[in-house]
Amino acid sequence: MITEEELDNLIICKKCHTLHKRVPLPPNKKAFCSKCDILLYQNNPNILNKTLALVIAATISLFVAFKFTIVTIDIQGMEKSLTLYALFMVILEQHQYIVGVMFIFLIFIFPITIIFSMLILLILMKRKKGGYLVKRLLILLAHIRPWSMVDIFFISLLVAMVKLFDYAYIELGVSFIALIFTLILDIIITKNLSFYELWNLYTKIYGGVNE
Amino acid sequence: MSRELEYIRCHICEAVNYVNEKETKCRRCHEEIAPNLRLSYHKTLAFLITAIIFYIPANLYPILVSKQFGKTTTNTIMGGIIHLWDAGSYPIALIILLASVFVPLLKFILIIYLLISTRHNLHSSKVDKHKLFYITEIIGPWSMVDVFVVVILSVLIHFSGVQIFPGEGATAFGLMVFFTMISAQSFDPRLINQQKGDTF
Ligand SMILES: [Zn+2]
Ligand SMILES: [Zn+2]
């Protein structure tokens, strides 16, 4: 029979499902899969504080991104702005419930849920409190992460702007910049901290709490 | 039996679990890690068929409806791409073509291929199949680009004389992407490790 510690020292690559044995890494070093070169794990000291700072910044930029105007277009003196509020109004007015609800969940509700869950669980982990809540939040994150599409929304925004270029004068709003910040922060966070590492920290901090 | 066969990667917490018949919950997060393979196979297939059914109206019905002073014009996905190409917006036309036409088709073909290979020996490497599956999961959501573009345009082009609406095609397309993603998520990577003749 294999012990828990032995299992903890194993890792299966998320891309090619090859089984690897973990080796202790010196600080700031990374381990990659031998078959597909994807990042397996890393030794990143002080990871909780660093990530918490990034997540706080991401929370602010995501809030700004949805609070203010993303872009304003001007067609022969007539102006229209893209904001979350305008989006809600148009969906209600045009009765686009299925597309509208999908859109709001994918670009607004899921990203907000993810960032707030991250915020709460990092603070709890720093204080070594609330093991059960941390676990529930980590499970929630695993379920909704594939459904957050802020990055795809941003590319769509660029495509829409190119389509409008010939007809309208386009002015970028504060939220457009905030959206770029959110995406950059998101990339840095996911590069520095994989969920594999968060779960390992969870085991380290809370031990084998079976709640 | 190969070594990898005995270990399961939990899809929630990524912990390595050693499989035995009695324990089907992950040792760390206590989520289900060894669901019934037969059920996983049939769920994947059912959601895939639903997605393929939605793919038909998604392409036949207009994704974009525009009203200009009482005159209505509609655009299907292909119509929109041809329009963009004729207007000289080649990069955008290519992005939409890739995201809206190729990515969904690629995902359908890949899931069908993976499902067939669980039942018949196709002499393909397991590592390659795992990689293919990983790539399908990454590129899948990008098919939403065209639907998002239409929603953004419908908010911006919303004047008294000129308006843009998402058409029925957009709804069908959104649902198609949704069911394709659910289908891929229902697929248990353990199915790839099945040997020919293994019953599940
Ligand atoms: Zn690998
Ligand atoms: Zn688990």
Side-chain angles (χ1 to χ4, degrees):
Chain A
M1 202 49 212
I2 299 156
T3 64
E4 290 264 313
E5 284 96 276
E6 280 174 305
L7 283 175
D8 282 338
N9 278 322
L10 295 173
I11 180 169
I12 293 174
C13 171
K14 64 176 169 187
K15 190 173 170 186
C16 70
H17 280 236
T18 308
L19 187 71
H20 295 271
K21 214 174 208 119
R22 277 168 66 98
V23 287
L25 290 179
N28 299 313
K29 283 274 184 287
K30 293 170 177 176
F32 296 90
C33 174
S34 57
K35 282 224 172 103
C36 64
D37 287 324
I38 205 169
L39 178 68
L40 283 179
Y41 56 96
Q42 52 187 318
N43 182 359
N44 202 335
N46 208 11
I47 184 72
L48 279 184
N49 285 328
K50 274 189 217 163
T51 317
L52 186 59
L54 289 168
V55 169
I56 291 170
T59 313
I60 297 166
S61 63
L62 194 64
F63 176 76
V64 174
F66 289 130
K67 183 85 181 77
F68 302 102
T69 305
I70 300 169
V71 285
T72 302
I73 62 157
D74 185 323
I75 301 177
Q76 292 158 1
M78 294 188 296
E79 282 193 354
K80 212 85 212 184
S81 296
L82 179 65
T83 59
L84 201 63
Y85 177 75
L87 179 69
F88 277 116
M89 293 324 283
V90 169
I91 287 166
L92 287 176
E93 208 178 293
Q94 297 182 343
H95 309 290
Q96 291 296 336
Y97 301 118
I98 299 176
V99 172
V101 165
M102 275 184 107
F103 192 78
I104 284 167
F105 267 91
L106 298 175
I107 67 137
F108 178 64
I109 295 179
F110 290 144
I112 290 271
T113 313
I114 289 171
I115 206 83
F116 274 116
S117 309
M118 288 279 283
L119 198 62
I120 296 165
L121 82 88
L122 286 170
I123 292 171
L124 285 174
M125 281 174 104
K126 250 177 74 80
R127 298 183 160 196
K128 302 187 181 1
K129 276 183 187 158
Y132 180 69
L133 183 60
V134 168
K135 192 174 115 182
R136 296 317 312 174
L137 286 174
L138 282 169
I139 293 172
L140 177 75
L141 280 171
H143 283 298
I144 61 176
R145 251 159 55 98
W147 298 96
S148 166
M149 300 191 181
V150 181
D151 44 357
I152 297 160
F153 170 67
F154 184 73
I155 298 297
S156 310
L157 194 60
L158 296 181
V159 171
M161 279 161 60
V162 172
K163 280 189 165 186
L164 290 170
F165 228 71
D166 294 335
Y167 319 100
Y169 174 73
I170 300 167
E171 197 183 327
L172 302 180
V174 184
S175 297
F176 188 84
I177 316 289
L179 211 53
I180 295 175
F181 266 109
T182 313
L183 289 174
I184 293 171
L185 285 166
D186 183 56
I187 291 167
I188 301 172
I189 293 168
T190 37
K191 268 216 156 161
N192 276 307
L193 180 81
S194 64
F195 277 75
Y196 176 76
E197 263 133 309
L198 261 184
W199 275 103
N200 277 354
L201 277 170
Y202 164 81
T203 317
K204 224 181 269 172
I205 295 171
Y206 303 103
V209 276
N210 287 320
E211 282 166 285
Chain B
M1 211 185 221
S2 78
R3 230 167 96 78
E4 276 82 353
L5 264 180
E6 302 161 294
Y7 296 96
I8 294 184
R9 174 183 180 273
C10 170
H11 66 289
I12 297 292
C13 75
E14 300 171 33
V16 178
N17 285 264
Y18 190 76
V19 194
N20 65 38
E21 264 91 71
K22 277 171 249 149
E23 196 55 72
T24 59
K25 295 224 184 328
C26 171
R27 64 195 173 86
R28 179 155 67 189
C29 69
H30 307 290
E31 295 284 294
E32 196 75 40
I33 46 162
N36 189 319
L37 281 179
R38 186 189 293 271
L39 188 68
S40 161
Y41 179 95
H42 287 290
K43 264 164 82 178
T44 309
L45 186 63
F47 287 130
L48 181 71
I49 291 169
T50 317
I52 292 172
I53 291 170
F54 275 117
Y55 188 71
I56 299 162
N59 279 285
L60 292 180
Y61 285 95
I63 188 161
L64 186 144
V65 179
S66 61
K67 279 192 183 139
Q68 277 191 34
F69 308 106
K71 204 176 119 242
T72 307
T73 40
T74 59
N75 265 113
T76 56
I77 290 175
M78 270 324 277
I81 294 168
I82 292 164
H83 198 80
L84 279 167
W85 188 266
D86 288 342
S89 311
Y90 304 121
I92 300 294
L94 281 176
I95 291 175
I96 304 285
L97 186 70
L98 270 178
S100 309
V101 182
F102 286 131
V103 169
L105 284 177
L106 196 72
K107 257 195 111 157
F108 293 157
I109 293 168
L110 240 126
I111 296 173
I112 293 169
Y113 169 74
L114 288 174
L115 286 176
I116 291 173
S117 74
T118 62
R119 292 281 165 100
H120 304 277
N121 198 350
L122 297 180
H123 299 287
S124 45
S125 123
K126 280 171 193 163
V127 169
D128 286 346
K129 279 193 267 179
H130 278 298
K131 281 187 191 169
L132 275 177
F133 182 60
Y134 179 78
I135 293 163
T136 2
E137 289 224 87
I138 299 278
I139 59 167
W142 285 94
S143 335
M144 283 305 275
V145 167
D146 216 13
V147 177
F148 284 1
V149 169
V150 173
V151 176
I152 293 166
L153 289 178
S154 74
V155 178
L156 285 172
I157 310 293
H158 194 70
F159 304 103
S160 52
V162 184
Q163 283 183 333
I164 283 181
F165 301 87
E168 295 95 333
T171 305
F173 199 90
L175 290 170
M176 183 276 292
V177 177
F178 174 77
F179 282 108
T180 319
M181 283 178 73
I182 297 272
S183 169
Q185 284 177 11
S186 309
F187 185 83
D188 190 332
R190 283 186 306 148
L191 283 166
I192 292 174
N193 293 336
Q194 288 289 313
Q195 302 286 345
K196 193 194 174 195
D198 278 1
T199 46
F200 59 86

